[in-house]
């Protein structure tokens, strides 16, 4: 028998880990392939907690995180280290995910080492290089150097075709975020101090929103004061810039609870128990939709418009006035919220990991080409 192909699954931040775990599980079941986990450690604590939940042990850890890291420095630390590791680990194929600096840096390292790269969650586009920044650039740059494109949805596929990418090596897989939620939700238990309360989940960490964060935090303070029937729970990202902006505006309000970052299970339990999610995150748009909870997106544009069309998301802009105008009626009217609890998930069906593993096997002639996933909504 020939040696199994060594498939490097590379990631570095908390959200990538939960979205790559289902791919690793599926690769383990695919004959002829051997997954090798390479983490950059772009996040430290937040990544480690995710690895623990999914019981994943990295084969190699670049451990690059620094306090208040700058993007060029991070890039300069990851590329050569990742290239050396890919060579030392005798990698045949690389999988990166989404739009983080890690994704693009590792894809570039693989490209320079002449190792083919597949992009999981390819083709998401806000069509605005400044929002989200630098993610829109990272994903476009990654898609320019791939061997295989794995768009989660039809729309993502169309974005890639519009940029001239070939249909031949492109398979619609559904988003692995849905697989991750389906896997982990059974284990998620709401923390005791939150039980029996009407909850609203808040998260906010985007780089392009950093300057606006005091203003947005003041808007959340206003919403909380006007809606004392809710408990607003905000697990604050470890980024010190985010923390300095958020704590002064919100820490003294009775029905706002600022928490240390939640692990994935606590986060899923909080979201599932919430009446509403108010966020600038990418992944929470998919996870909230998968859990049937309405999501208000504090951004001007989304690369995940499927949820807006299907009805689970409302795009509120990133200024206090528009966030308030969209959120306040939703907090006060259950009918409006119920209309956003949709049944058919436009992002995926929980089998994306399997399709991705099969697609990689197909590239090595070890399996049939998987069929495109088709959403119903
Ligand atoms: C990164 C991704 C973003 C993703 C987000 C999820 C890029 C450019 N951005 O943004 O797309 O939505 O992760 O969280 O890749 N920190 C810690 N410990 C941790 C994690 C972060 O201390 O476990 C602090 C550090 O001070 C670090 C800062 O957070 O410097 C920012 O982390 P970084 O990875 O640079 O950017 P994020 O804002 O987390």
């Amino acid at each position: 028998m020939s040696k199994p192909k060594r498939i490097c699954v590379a990631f570095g931040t908390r959200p990538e880990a939960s979205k790559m775990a289902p791919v690793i599980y599926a690769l383990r079941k695919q004959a002829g392939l051997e997954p090798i986990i390479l983490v950059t450690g772009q996040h430290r604590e937040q990544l480690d907690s995710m690895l623990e939940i999914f019981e994943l042990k990295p084969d190699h850890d670049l451990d690059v995180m620094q306090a208040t890291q700058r993007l060029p420095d991070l890039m300069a630390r990851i590329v050569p280290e990742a290239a050396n590791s890919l060579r030392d680990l005798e990698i045949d194929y690389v999988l990166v995910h989404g739009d983080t600096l890690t994704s693009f840096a590792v894809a570039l390292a693989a490209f320079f080492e002449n190792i083919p790269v597949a992009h999981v969650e390819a083709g998401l586009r806000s069509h605005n290089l400044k929002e989200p920044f630098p993610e829109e650039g990272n994903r476009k740059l990654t898609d320019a150097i791939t061997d295989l494109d794995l768009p989660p949805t039809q729309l993502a596929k169309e974005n890639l075709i519009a940029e001239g990418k070939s249909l031949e090596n492109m398979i619609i897989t559904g988003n692995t975020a849905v697989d991750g939620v389906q896997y982990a939700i059974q284990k998620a238990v709401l923390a005791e101090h939150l039980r029996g309360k009407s909850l609203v989940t808040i998260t906010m960490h985007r780089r392009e929103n950093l300057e606006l964060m005091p203003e947005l935090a003041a808007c959340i303070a206003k919403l909380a004061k006007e809606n004392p029937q809710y408990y607003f729970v905000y697990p604050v990202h470890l980024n010190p810039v985010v923390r300095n902006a958020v704590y002064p505006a919100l820490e003294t309000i009775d029905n706002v609870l600022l928490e240390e970052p939640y692990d994935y299970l606590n986060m899923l339990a909080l979201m599932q128990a919430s009446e509403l999610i108010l966020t600038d995150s990418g992944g929470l748009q998919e996870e909230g939709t998968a859990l049937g909870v309405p999501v208000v997106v504090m951004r001007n544009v989304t690369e995940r418009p499927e949820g807006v069309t299907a009805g689970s998301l409302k795009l509120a802009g990133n200024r206090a006035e528009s966030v308030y105008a969209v959120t306040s009626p939703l907090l006060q009217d259950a009918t409006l919220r119920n209309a956003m609890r949709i049944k058919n998930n436009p992002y995926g069906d929980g089998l994306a990991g399997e399709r991705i593993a099969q697609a990689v096997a197909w590239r090595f002639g070890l399996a049939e080409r998987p069929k495109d996933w088709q959403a119903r909504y």
Side-chain angles (χ1 to χ4, degrees):
M1 235 178 69
S2 58
K3 250 175 51 181
K5 299 293 176 194
R6 290 167 71 83
I7 314 301
C8 174
V9 182
F11 51 94
T13 66
R14 176 173 59 175
E16 288 165 279
S18 61
K19 291 169 161 196
M20 282 303 227
V23 178
I24 295 165
Y25 293 163
L27 283 169
R28 285 180 184 156
K29 291 191 282 177
Q30 190 75 48
L33 304 182
E34 180 190 359
I36 306 288
I37 303 174
L38 171 71
V39 299
T40 61
Q42 176 179 338
H43 284 175
R44 192 66 278 160
E45 304 88 326
Q46 299 186 169
L47 174 69
D48 291 345
S49 103
M50 200 63 112
L51 290 168
E52 211 169 288
I53 286 168
F54 283 97
E55 296 176 34
L56 295 174
K57 252 187 127 72
D59 294 284
H60 198 66
D61 190 336
L62 306 182
D63 201 16
V64 297
M65 195 190 93
Q66 292 183 348
T68 329
Q69 53 203 355
R70 293 188 64 249
L71 298 172
D73 302 333
L74 192 55
M75 189 77 184
R77 285 199 298 282
I78 295 175
V79 177
E81 293 275 326
N84 289 339
S85 306
L86 295 175
R87 223 179 24 240
D88 293 348
L89 293 163
E90 299 182 15
I91 296 302
D92 296 300
Y93 206 86
V94 177
L95 288 172
V96 297
H97 178 277
D99 54 23
T100 67
L101 197 90
T102 283
S103 319
F104 173 47
V106 176
L108 193 60
F111 176 73
F112 288 146
E113 289 298 321
N114 208 10
I115 304 172
V117 188
H119 190 192
V120 177
E121 203 187 72
L124 269 61
R125 296 288 183 270
S126 66
H127 305 288
N128 181 342
L129 276 173
K130 297 209 165 101
E131 297 182 32
F133 173 87
E135 287 80 3
E136 179 77 356
N138 288 342
R139 53 195 169 217
K140 288 182 83 166
L141 291 161
T142 303
D143 286 331
I145 52 176
T146 46
D147 170 70
L148 174 65
D149 297 307
L150 301 163
T153 64
Q154 176 67 32
L155 189 68
K157 177 177 171 173
E158 283 162 17
N159 287 334
L160 291 167
I161 293 168
E163 288 171 15
K165 295 229 67 177
S166 133
L167 264 175
E168 206 176 311
N169 294 348
M170 195 183 289
I171 291 153
I172 305 178
T173 62
N175 200 304
T176 58
V178 181
D179 306 29
V181 170
Q182 288 183 2
Y183 169 87
I185 193 67
Q186 291 95 332
K187 301 190 199 171
V189 180
L190 188 65
E192 189 139 347
H193 65 289
L194 302 178
R195 289 187 204 155
K197 297 193 158 72
S198 278
L199 301 171
V200 176
T201 302
I202 313 269
T203 80
M204 189 162 63
H205 72 275
R206 293 240 77 83
R207 275 165 199 262
E208 72 272 13
N209 279 357
L210 289 178
E211 260 183 37
L212 295 174
M213 240 162 240
E215 173 187 317
L216 288 166
C219 167
I220 292 164
K222 182 171 176 209
L223 288 164
K225 284 183 195 155
E226 288 175 7
N227 293 278
Q229 70 278 28
Y230 292 107
Y231 209 42
F232 291 68
V233 185
Y234 181 176
V236 187
H237 193 289
L238 285 174
N239 189 341
V241 186
V242 174
R243 297 174 87 80
N244 291 340
V246 163
Y247 269 83
L250 292 171
E251 67 188 337
T252 55
I253 299 172
D254 285 347
N255 60 331
V256 175
L257 184 62
L258 298 178
E259 299 265 69
E260 289 306 303
Y262 278 14
D263 71 21
Y264 184 55
L265 295 181
N266 280 312
M267 197 64 210
L268 288 183
L270 171 65
M271 285 195 277
Q272 191 180 38
S274 290
E275 289 293 324
L276 193 72
I277 298 168
L278 188 53
T279 187
D280 65 1
S281 149
L284 262 63
Q285 298 174 49
E286 291 142 0
E287 290 163 2
T289 301
L291 294 166
V293 181
V295 182
V296 172
V297 184
M298 291 186 281
R299 287 160 65 169
N300 296 316
V301 277
T302 176
E303 60 295 283
R304 294 163 166 91
E306 294 89 344
V308 178
T309 309
S312 60
L313 311 182
K314 284 213 188 301
L315 201 54
N318 67 355
R319 302 307 302 255
E321 213 169 84
S322 59
V323 170
Y324 179 85
V326 171
T327 312
S328 178
L330 280 169
L331 288 172
Q332 285 164 21
D333 188 341
T335 324
L336 293 178
R337 293 196 300 278
N338 286 338
M340 294 175 73
R341 296 178 187 275
I342 58 168
K343 279 214 182 66
N344 288 330
N345 190 332
Y347 295 115
D349 64 350
L351 297 172
E354 316 285 329
R355 292 189 190 93
I356 291 164
Q358 189 181 335
V360 176
W362 167 67
R363 293 301 289 142
F364 287 103
L366 296 168
E368 302 249 296
R369 190 187 210 276
K371 289 202 174 58
D372 279 339
W373 175 66
Q374 277 186 329
R376 283 182 295 128
Y377 65 99

